[in-house]
Amino acid sequence: MSDPAIHAVTVDHIPLHDRAGLSTSEASAYTSLSAATLKKYRCNGTGPRYARIGSKIVYRPSDLDDYIGKHLIGGNRR
């Protein structure tokens, strides 16, 4: 999935899509889902894949892209 608007969001001058891992707030900006929604999805086991590294929650951009891709409606599905 390649949406230029999503990939233009940057933190520390590195596009979010090019980062190895995103914090919950960065994943929120990347997906346009609120941080509270991502937390609820983690608790319910219904959201995108994530890793817990120590006390940190980290999302890979590729997992966020996969999650969004699985929820596409209409058009040609892959």
Side-chain angles (χ1 to χ4, degrees):
M1 193 159 111
S2 182
D3 183 346
I6 290 175
H7 302 302
V9 178
T10 62
V11 174
D12 299 328
H13 306 293
I14 300 171
L16 291 179
H17 193 268
D18 293 338
R19 297 181 65 151
L22 305 177
S23 68
T24 299
S25 63
E26 292 166 340
S28 173
Y30 187 85
T31 62
S32 298
L33 296 170
S34 72
T37 296
L38 289 171
K39 181 178 180 181
K40 180 175 77 171
Y41 287 171
R42 283 195 309 269
C43 291
N44 294 340
T46 58
R49 292 178 59 177
Y50 66 94
R52 182 180 304 274
I53 302 172
S55 62
K56 304 277 186 191
I57 299 295
V58 179
Y59 293 90
R60 294 185 305 188
S62 60
D63 290 329
L64 297 172
D65 289 341
D66 289 346
Y67 182 77
I68 292 168
K70 290 176 184 171
H71 290 85
L72 290 175
I73 298 171
N76 293 328
R77 296 181 186 194
R78 294 181 191 182

